[in-house]
Amino acid sequence: MKIVIASDHAGFFLKEKIKDFLQKENHEIIDVGCHSHVSVDYPEYGAKAIEKLLNKEADYGILICGTGIGMSIVANRFKGIRAALCHEPFSAKMARLHNNANVLIMGGRLIGDGMAIEIVKTFLSTDFEGGRHERRINLIEELTDKLK
Ligand code: RB5
């Protein structure tokens, strides 16, 4: 799979761990930064990753900041993005099964590497269930279009 990954400084170390894991699993990774633990602004990196995903250069996105909240707010502003903030595997599974999430978000200051890797594995190995969930996802797009 092709996965675009991004973080701010607070998510940098976890991003590196996840990147190593995914590369060992033979996934193709696009790392749009940041590239050190020096303080940066998470919206810049979140938006760079979303741009790659919307341009179909990647199948999924993984974004990490301190809490995951800032990255979630940024990612979900873009049409067609369903970003899920997950700190345990059950949420990651449901995010795929019911929400067809295309972006996984985690807080680097909240969870350890082991938990994060389990979350990533679950997210990438779970398929969307479709059916009534498809209707609900389509409804999100319809309703947000109406408010513009
Ligand atoms: C950075 O200090 C922190 O605010 C950021 O990583 C993130 O948690 C924002 O939501």
Side-chain angles (χ1 to χ4, degrees):
M1 259 176 218
K2 283 192 187 174
I3 298 159
V4 60
I5 190 163
S7 76
D8 70 354
H9 54 289
F12 171 69
F13 291 110
L14 185 57
K15 171 171 71 66
E16 295 302 296
K17 293 276 180 189
I18 290 170
K19 195 169 74 178
D20 285 352
F21 166 75
L22 291 172
Q23 280 168 339
K24 282 182 190 139
E25 295 284 304
N26 295 318
H27 292 290
E28 197 178 312
I29 306 303
I30 306 171
D31 182 353
V32 295
C34 66
H35 299 292
S36 82
H37 64 282
V38 174
S39 184
V40 292
D41 298 329
Y42 63 83
E44 303 271 8
Y45 294 90
K48 274 188 196 184
I50 297 303
E51 191 181 353
K52 298 272 179 205
L53 194 58
L54 291 176
N55 287 342
K56 302 197 187 315
E57 291 173 61
D59 304 304
Y60 293 108
I62 298 179
L63 307 182
I64 307 165
C65 61
T67 58
I69 296 170
M71 284 294 199
S72 300
I73 294 171
V74 173
N76 280 309
R77 294 290 288 267
F78 293 86
K79 189 174 161 61
I81 295 299
R82 293 173 300 281
L85 177 57
C86 301
H87 288 132
E88 28 64 41
F90 181 74
S91 297
K93 183 175 177 180
M94 297 312 290
R96 290 287 310 126
L97 277 177
H98 285 193
N99 309 111
N100 200 14
N102 47 12
V103 178
L104 169 64
I105 307 200
M106 292 176 286
R109 290 175 174 159
L110 271 90
I111 50 170
D113 307 345
M115 177 62 85
I117 286 169
E118 286 308 307
I119 293 168
V120 168
K121 278 190 208 165
T122 304
F123 187 86
L124 296 179
S125 62
T126 308
D127 289 330
F128 180 44
E129 232 173 51
R132 67 188 186 283
H133 303 297
E134 179 111 56
R135 184 181 71 239
R136 291 166 186 165
I137 283 165
N138 292 339
L139 206 46
I140 297 171
E141 298 296 339
E142 273 173 44
L143 294 172
T144 48
D145 279 349
K146 267 190 203 163
L147 280 174
K148 272 183 186 160

